[in-house]
Amino acid sequence: RIETATEVDREASSKVIENLKKRYGNDLTTEFVVNPQLLGGMRIRVGSDVWDGTVRNRLELLQQQL
């Protein structure tokens, strides 16, 4: 599951899928979901692995540090 704040163009989505398949195998299925609450960036979840490069996550981490 790949969440983004806005729609991702075809070239960028193809590159993301290609990189994920290199790591997790060709049988990986993907789903792109637009979630405006993320504000920007991308959150990728594959099984229990989560990569969160969203603006919302960065702001929450900054808030915790203050």
Side-chain angles (χ1 to χ4, degrees):
R1 181 178 176 111
I2 302 149
E3 291 181 81
T4 57
T6 60
E7 194 72 34
V8 178
D9 65 52
R10 188 174 297 238
E11 183 179 335
S13 63
S14 294
K15 189 151 187 105
V16 169
I17 292 169
E18 178 184 325
N19 287 331
L20 288 171
K21 285 187 176 186
K22 284 180 185 176
R23 183 176 182 120
Y24 293 99
N26 286 329
D27 61 340
L28 182 71
T29 58
T30 57
E31 171 189 21
F32 280 85
V33 176
V34 175
N35 181 351
Q37 293 180 346
L38 299 179
L39 304 175
M42 185 178 294
R43 179 186 299 146
I44 300 172
R45 181 183 309 262
V46 180
S48 62
D49 292 342
V50 177
W51 179 83
D52 194 336
T54 61
V55 173
R56 181 181 179 109
N57 182 54
R58 291 179 197 160
L59 290 173
E60 288 173 358
L61 291 173
L62 182 61
Q63 183 181 21
Q64 291 172 6
Q65 293 174 356
L66 298 175

